[in-house]
Amino acid sequence: MLREEIAVSIRTLQWKCVESRADSKRLYYGRFILSPLMKGQADTIGIAMRRALLGEIEGTCITRAKSEKIPHEYSTIVGIEESVHEILMNLKEIVLRSNLYGTHDASICLRGPGNLTAQDIISPPSVEIVDTTQHIASLTEPIDLCIGLQIERNRGYRMKTPNNAQDGSFPIDAVFMPVRNANHSIHSYGNGNEKQEILFLEIWTNGSLTPKEALHEASRNLIDLFIPLLDAEEEDINLEDNQITPYFDFHYRMHKLGKNKNEIAMKCIFIDQSGLPPRIYNYLKRSNIYTLWDFMTKTREDLVKIEGYHIEYVNKLREILITDILGKKDIRYSTSAFCN
């Protein structure tokens, strides 16, 4: 029996792409299988891979447009069919491929009449436009249209904050995620203790990455997240230290419940499992807050510095966390579903 268990534990996992296609320049599809897996392993890997595919892969997009001749986002320009708002929405749809980091400048300058497309964008050499036919605006008269653009590489989704347009500069909702959707399914075979599983992964991307590239990058990101745990040493965090100033009253209460035990538990509670409204969820992700523990160690000064800070966000978080977490008699049971 022991020999059989050892044989199962040293089996080499194999993956294969069983379907791959490009539905358009901005929609790629791939279907992969991973096997053999023991009972329960497919779901563990599938959930982790889906999260990594949707949230851990970086992408590049246009985050800001600027033109001194435009008074506000909902204005119209004589000689242009689209409103300024429609032009900004078209810029949001442009898919870029790049390995650049930080923010970089690009521009558009065209004289009408004619159609303005993504091909007219003057960008850094390291930035590639996936679909150059993407429509931006239609110029119906002989006018000059010049727009400055800001390009940024990041991860996740960042909503523009209202009323922050200055000097003709308009923020654009940033969809950095190159993976548009990801699903996983499981096929089981065998009987009893010999039951095994096959994991199927479906990945849709926006064309800046192929599904295969997205799968590789998500896998590397997951590995990078867990490697530090191999050599991790338990640290005694002193809540009285000036560097960590408790902002909410439940910081101290959680500390009293058992610091070491609950630190581990709080690291297992992810903010996307707390029923937070999308605006609050995105507000936290902008500061790399993914778990309850990440949030608990932030001071008031840290939270105020995050782009899009609103006091009502903090009050809502406090209400949810106290009700859902501190209201439970034993935090070990309240987090067990997330840690298994």
Side-chain angles (χ1 to χ4, degrees):
M1 181 67 179
L2 178 61
R3 184 177 301 174
E4 292 177 356
E5 291 179 355
I6 294 176
V8 169
S9 65
I10 62 175
R11 288 180 301 180
T12 301
L13 292 178
Q14 296 181 343
W15 70 272
K16 180 181 179 182
C17 179
V18 294
E19 185 178 357
S20 178
R21 67 174 187 264
D23 294 332
S24 67
K25 290 183 179 180
R26 290 182 289 161
L27 183 59
Y28 286 22
Y29 171 80
R31 189 165 183 255
F32 307 87
I33 59 172
L34 179 66
S35 66
L37 296 166
M38 291 187 293
K39 184 179 179 180
Q41 289 182 335
D43 200 37
T44 300
I45 297 174
I47 292 173
M49 284 300 302
R50 186 177 186 275
R51 288 186 176 274
L53 286 164
L54 294 174
E56 297 296 328
I57 301 180
E58 294 183 339
T60 305
C61 65
I62 299 172
T63 58
R64 188 171 289 272
K66 182 176 182 179
S67 178
E68 296 179 354
K69 297 181 180 180
I70 301 175
H72 57 83
E73 179 180 346
Y74 297 99
S75 60
T76 58
I77 304 175
V78 176
I80 299 180
E81 238 177 63
E82 292 81 2
S83 66
V84 174
H85 178 73
E86 290 172 327
I87 293 175
L88 294 176
M89 291 300 99
N90 290 337
L91 290 172
K92 176 183 174 181
E93 296 298 321
I94 293 175
V95 178
L96 303 175
R97 180 189 292 119
S98 174
N99 291 322
L100 60 82
Y101 287 92
T103 58
H104 295 260
D105 294 329
S107 62
I108 301 173
C109 196
L110 182 71
R111 181 169 180 79
N115 288 323
L116 181 65
T117 65
Q119 185 176 3
D120 299 305
I121 296 177
I122 304 172
S123 60
S126 58
V127 177
E128 178 186 349
I129 301 171
V130 172
D131 184 5
T132 57
T133 64
Q134 168 65 39
H135 179 74
I136 299 175
S138 298
L139 282 65
T140 58
E141 297 182 13
I143 62 172
D144 293 322
L145 176 63
C146 293
I147 303 175
L149 304 174
Q150 179 179 286
I151 296 174
E152 184 179 344
R153 181 179 176 86
N154 211 317
R155 65 179 61 182
Y157 180 81
R158 186 172 67 206
M159 295 183 65
K160 63 181 181 181
T161 54
N163 302 325
N164 64 346
Q166 299 177 353
D167 301 325
S169 179
F170 303 94
I172 299 173
D173 289 341
V175 184
F176 296 106
M177 301 176 294
V179 176
R180 289 296 185 239
N181 194 14
N183 290 328
H184 80 276
S185 57
I186 301 168
H187 172 69
S188 302
Y189 61 96
N191 297 313
N193 294 331
E194 299 297 325
K195 198 169 186 178
Q196 298 180 11
E197 296 178 339
I198 298 175
L199 174 65
F200 291 85
L201 275 173
E202 292 183 292
I203 303 172
W204 290 263
T205 70
N206 65 359
S208 62
L209 286 178
T210 65
K212 181 179 177 180
E213 290 171 336
L215 181 62
H216 286 174
E217 187 167 340
S219 301
R220 285 194 298 267
N221 290 340
L222 277 178
I223 292 171
D224 291 342
L225 286 174
F226 286 105
I227 282 179
L229 297 178
L230 298 177
D231 300 318
E233 295 182 1
E234 184 177 0
E235 297 182 4
D236 187 12
I237 299 178
N238 182 13
L239 292 181
E240 304 299 327
D241 194 316
N242 292 331
Q243 294 181 352
I244 305 179
T245 306
Y247 175 40
F248 302 107
D249 55 353
F250 55 78
H251 281 78
Y252 182 73
R253 292 166 62 188
M254 291 295 285
H255 179 56
K256 285 294 185 181
L257 286 174
K259 177 175 56 182
N260 295 334
K261 175 184 68 177
N262 290 294
E263 175 182 343
I264 297 173
M266 287 185 289
K267 287 180 178 179
C268 295
I269 304 176
F270 292 87
I271 60 173
D272 60 351
Q273 295 170 315
S274 301
L276 297 173
R279 285 185 176 272
I280 301 181
Y281 175 69
N282 290 317
Y283 158 74
L284 293 175
K285 289 193 67 177
R286 279 196 288 270
S287 190
N288 296 322
I289 298 176
Y290 298 100
T291 65
L292 176 57
W293 180 251
D294 295 337
F295 178 66
M296 296 285 282
T297 55
K298 294 292 182 183
T299 66
R300 177 173 184 168
E301 290 73 20
D302 294 331
L303 296 172
V304 171
K305 292 178 183 177
I306 305 174
E307 181 183 352
Y309 169 82
H310 291 286
I311 186 62
E312 57 266 26
Y313 291 180
V314 176
N315 292 336
K316 182 65 176 178
L317 281 166
R318 182 179 184 276
E319 176 186 344
I320 291 175
L321 294 176
I322 289 180
T323 302
D324 295 348
I325 306 302
L326 296 181
K328 299 183 184 297
K329 295 181 179 180
D330 193 333
I331 195 170
R332 289 174 300 175
Y333 300 111
S334 66
T335 61
S336 60
F338 301 122
C339 297
N340 290 338

